[in-house]
Amino acid sequence: MPTIADTKGNSWKLLAGPTTNAVRKTEWYSVITRGGLLTIRIMFDKNTNSRAAVVAVFTGTSSSPLDANPADRTGSTSPFDATSSGTLAEANEVVTGGFALEGSTDDTIATSTENGVVLAASNSIVRVSSASGSGGGDSAATMVVTGALTTEVGDLIVLVGADQIGTGSFTITDSLGNTVNPLNGATNAVRMTAAYIVVAPGKSGSTTYTGTFSSSSKYRALLAVQYRGLTITPLDVNPAISNTSGSTPVSPSSGTLAQQKELVVGLFAEKGNDSWNAKSNMQKLDQVLSGGDMTTGVGAVIGTQMVRSTTAFTESIACGTPFLGVSGIASFKGVPSVESIAAMTYRIVNSTAAVAPQITDTANRAGVMGTSTFKSASAQ
């Protein structure tokens, strides 16, 4: 069974369940006695199964707030109706519905009879970590080495190297001997060398990545980003590189993707030594700067999107200073898997009449539905 804790050490109590119907719903509540900025962690047994969680905060409840918490219901068709609360103890309560739904997250929760819905969908594609190496100034060298990533078999590593040599060779290797597959690169005041690795059996664990030049370079950077949940032959698209010259470089279009669930990465190498921010719908931006100044340094950037559509995508980044550079894009196919949706509805009522929370989905799927009510003199 999952367990829950927060960074302030508050006490959490289990509500009805856990209940399983292809997907498991586990629900807790806490009366917060140690406030402030909280991080809540839900721990599972280690596995590759999908998981999702939501949390909602209500103020104005009593110190012993729980009223009704009947047994969960299960179902497999929309609309999904939670168990009736039965008659409430007080006329002024907050009623929550807890829902765990199995299946594709390509469709959406359409409507709810409640005042509000909070939901989160799992995604089997995850960004795990990143590592980088850089050098600049008077420290000319023929090599740049990243920090270590702890890899597992099947992990995808995407790499971008940036340098100001622009001639000769620049090769990328990994310390455990995995195959390095080149992606499209180009030179426009800065050279971008991009590649990807799929971690092979017998070649996982603590790994560093090395970029080796055929001649020494003062300004150099190498960035590696680690992902999980991709197919063993993941590359889908990698169109030609574009030259950039402004403060908001945009990647080429990916074109139509082969499948809905993919990882789309924006690949950027920019001349100059200023930090970059995600401008488009990236979920994460990783970057490394070489050092130097606005005219001599280089930067390598990787932007991450986990997408659920075959529609063409682009990515863009932004900086306060315009720089010359190059941009690219690549997409990688996600492993087909069963995903999960966690959803919570809430309604603040002003009578003791029974309530049964409901959500309507655009697809039928297996699910677990539960109801909890909490007493309040003035729920907010």
Side-chain angles (χ1 to χ4, degrees):
M1 185 181 80
T3 59
I4 189 171
D6 67 55
T7 50
K8 297 289 187 178
N10 288 286
S11 176
W12 292 81
K13 297 180 180 180
L14 186 68
L15 291 167
T19 305
T20 301
N21 178 33
V23 62
R24 176 174 58 187
K25 180 179 80 70
T26 311
E27 200 168 356
W28 302 266
Y29 78 97
S30 176
V31 177
I32 300 299
T33 57
R34 299 171 181 173
L37 181 64
L38 295 181
T39 298
I40 299 169
R41 176 170 294 180
I42 299 174
M43 299 295 293
F44 301 83
D45 293 337
K46 185 176 180 179
N47 57 58
T48 59
N49 295 335
S50 64
R51 62 208 70 181
V54 295
V55 62
V57 179
F58 301 96
T59 61
T61 54
S62 70
S63 59
S64 298
L66 185 63
D67 177 14
N69 182 219
D72 293 331
R73 294 184 67 241
T74 60
S76 58
T77 58
S78 179
F80 296 95
D81 294 301
T83 314
S84 172
S85 65
T87 302
L88 304 182
E90 298 179 359
N92 192 7
E93 297 198 13
V94 58
V95 180
T96 65
F99 300 82
L101 304 176
E102 180 212 34
S104 168
T105 55
D106 295 331
D107 54 87
T108 57
I109 302 297
T111 60
S112 172
T113 58
E114 310 308 298
N115 296 150
V117 181
V118 182
L119 64 93
S122 66
N123 193 321
S124 59
I125 302 172
V126 295
R127 177 197 169 279
V128 180
S129 190
S130 67
S132 62
S134 63
D138 296 325
S139 304
T142 59
M143 188 178 294
V144 59
V145 183
T146 72
L149 294 175
T150 302
T151 64
E152 297 182 3
V153 174
D155 282 359
L156 172 73
I157 313 298
V158 177
L159 302 112
V160 168
D163 73 88
Q164 282 190 307
I165 299 177
T167 60
S169 64
F170 175 51
T171 58
I172 298 174
T173 56
D174 102 346
S175 60
L176 297 183
N178 285 287
T179 299
V180 179
N181 305 282
L183 295 168
N184 289 325
T187 300
N188 179 33
V190 59
R191 175 172 58 179
M192 182 173 78
T193 304
Y196 74 94
I197 294 167
V198 178
V199 177
K203 298 181 179 181
S204 62
S206 181
T207 313
T208 59
Y209 305 90
T210 299
T212 304
F213 304 92
S214 58
S215 57
S216 62
S217 170
K218 285 187 177 180
Y219 298 102
R220 58 204 181 273
L222 181 60
L223 175 63
V225 182
Q226 177 185 10
Y227 302 96
R228 199 163 286 161
L230 289 306
T231 64
I232 198 66
T233 53
L235 183 63
D236 179 12
V237 299
N238 180 219
I241 295 296
S242 294
N243 289 344
T244 62
S245 60
S247 58
T248 56
V250 179
S251 75
S253 171
S254 66
T256 302
L257 305 183
Q259 63 182 47
Q260 287 191 326
K261 185 166 68 173
E262 295 205 10
L263 165 70
V264 178
V265 293
L267 313 168
F268 300 87
E270 303 297 330
K271 183 179 179 181
N273 189 55
D274 201 359
S275 60
W276 295 85
N277 300 304
K279 186 174 185 294
S280 60
N281 55 343
M282 293 179 194
Q283 282 128 356
K284 177 70 177 179
L285 180 146
D286 292 281
Q287 63 183 307
V288 59
L289 302 174
S290 67
D293 58 33
M294 295 301 182
T295 60
T296 57
V298 296
V301 181
I302 297 176
T304 298
Q305 293 186 68
M306 286 78 162
V307 304
R308 293 194 171 278
S309 169
T310 60
T311 303
F313 288 88
T314 60
E315 295 195 358
S316 62
I317 56 177
C319 184
T321 306
F323 292 115
L324 295 175
V326 291
S327 66
I329 197 166
S331 76
F332 300 88
K333 293 174 284 187
V335 174
S337 64
V338 174
E339 306 289 0
S340 303
I341 295 175
M344 180 187 298
T345 65
Y346 62 90
R347 185 195 306 186
I348 297 170
V349 299
N350 56 13
S351 80
T352 60
V355 180
Q358 180 192 86
I359 56 176
T360 301
D361 200 340
T362 55
N364 293 325
R365 59 177 81 226
V368 181
M369 300 77 75
T371 301
S372 305
T373 77
F374 299 92
K375 295 176 287 186
S376 171
S378 56
Q380 300 177 16

